[in-house]
Amino acid sequence: PFVYVAVITVLTYIPILLTVVYSFNASKLTSVWEGFSLKWYRELFRDRDLGEALINSLILAVLSCAFAVLIGTSGALGMSRRKRKLDDAVAYVSTLPIMIPEIILGMVFLSVFSLMGLPFGMVTLVIAHTTFCVPYVFTMVRARLVGMDRSLEEAALDLGATKWQVFRDVILPQILPAILSGVLLAFAMSFDDVVISIFVTGPRVSTLPIKVYTQMKTGVTPEINALCTMMLGVILLVLAVYLIMGKRGKGNKRDEQ
């Protein structure tokens, strides 16, 4: 176990630590340390292209996740309410975008959008990202629905609740954690996608991963290190808030008991 932990630490966390350290390097060369400096963070905030790419990535991820929630949740609910012989086959087909290599999906989207005559840009990006985000939400929600107690819905209907009230007050609270889990996975996959985005984006729309990828071709700059450090800080902050809220929730349940 010790050897395993040591290998994982060396291969994963040490490169991340070096990225954070060299983001504060005064030198432009990552191999030379010239002293502590916030120069590259100032340069990062002045870079309008990176800022625009970040906004595009956030808009794209939010829109893709929103459509994925609507489609994936509706599909999972529909399949859980009506049992058919082809349910397993439909569920398998629904998860295919996760298993198909991204380069194949990218070429397929490129061909389809070209045949349809759609202008490449934010619209094609949203369609493509929604397609591979739906399976994450669908899989999570469907797994949660399998373990749900249907007697609660039947009891609510017997007490006079409408179908909408049953969904809002009984079903939604139970599947909400699964929806949030699917959204987090879908958001992460959409936000850092490079391969599919390159195939379906236009000359006027650039996402943050594409922008970073194109800049990396000329070498790693401390500005990219600063960007990675800030994104890592945001992720750690979100995780900390999530853990604190989770502990408070458990504490409140214990107090109620």
Side-chain angles (χ1 to χ4, degrees), residues 17 69-70 73 75 77 108-109 123 136 168-169 177 196-197 221 254-255:
L17 179 61
V69 166
L70 293 175
T73 304
L77 285 171
V108 169
F109 286 129
V123 174
Y136 295 100
R168 184 190 62 191
D169 300 329
I196 295 177
S197 298
T221 64
R254 291 176 182 176
D255 295 337

Side-chain angles (χ1 to χ4, degrees), residues 7 9 31 41 46 55 128 132 148 166 187 223 246 250:
V7 171
T9 301
S31 58
Y41 287 89
R46 293 173 184 171
I55 293 174
F132 68 76
M148 280 180 54
V166 171
F187 187 91
E223 189 176 346
K250 292 181 180 179

Side-chain angles (χ1 to χ4, degrees), residues 113-241:
F113 294 150
S114 298
L115 290 173
M116 294 175 63
L118 286 176
F120 288 88
M122 184 57 72
V123 174
T124 53
L125 280 168
V126 171
I127 295 173
H129 281 228
T130 300
T131 302
F132 68 76
C133 285
V134 166
Y136 295 100
V137 179
F138 173 81
T139 303
M140 292 290 183
V141 176
R142 186 167 184 261
R144 181 68 186 91
L145 288 170
V146 170
M148 280 180 54
D149 187 1
R150 295 292 299 274
S151 62
L152 296 176
E153 303 173 38
E154 296 172 357
L157 291 171
D158 290 340
L159 291 173
T162 63
K163 291 184 177 181
W164 165 248
Q165 290 174 328
V166 171
F167 173 76
R168 184 190 62 191
D169 300 329
V170 179
I171 300 176
L172 185 59
Q174 295 186 73
I175 65 173
L176 187 58
I179 294 176
L180 294 178
S181 298
V183 167
L184 289 176
L185 284 172
F187 187 91
M189 296 302 298
S190 174
F191 188 79
D192 71 353
D193 179 76
V194 177
V195 179
I196 295 177
S197 298
I198 288 177
F199 280 95
V200 299
T201 191
R204 297 182 179 180
V205 179
S206 178
T207 62
L208 184 62
I210 294 177
K211 188 68 178 176
V212 172
Y213 175 73
T214 54
Q215 288 192 1
M216 290 281 287
K217 289 183 177 180
T218 59
V220 180
T221 64
E223 189 176 346
I224 299 300
N225 291 338
L227 175 63
C228 294
T229 301
M230 291 189 63
M231 293 176 64
L232 179 63
V234 172
I235 293 172
L236 293 176
L237 180 61
V238 171
L239 288 176
V241 172

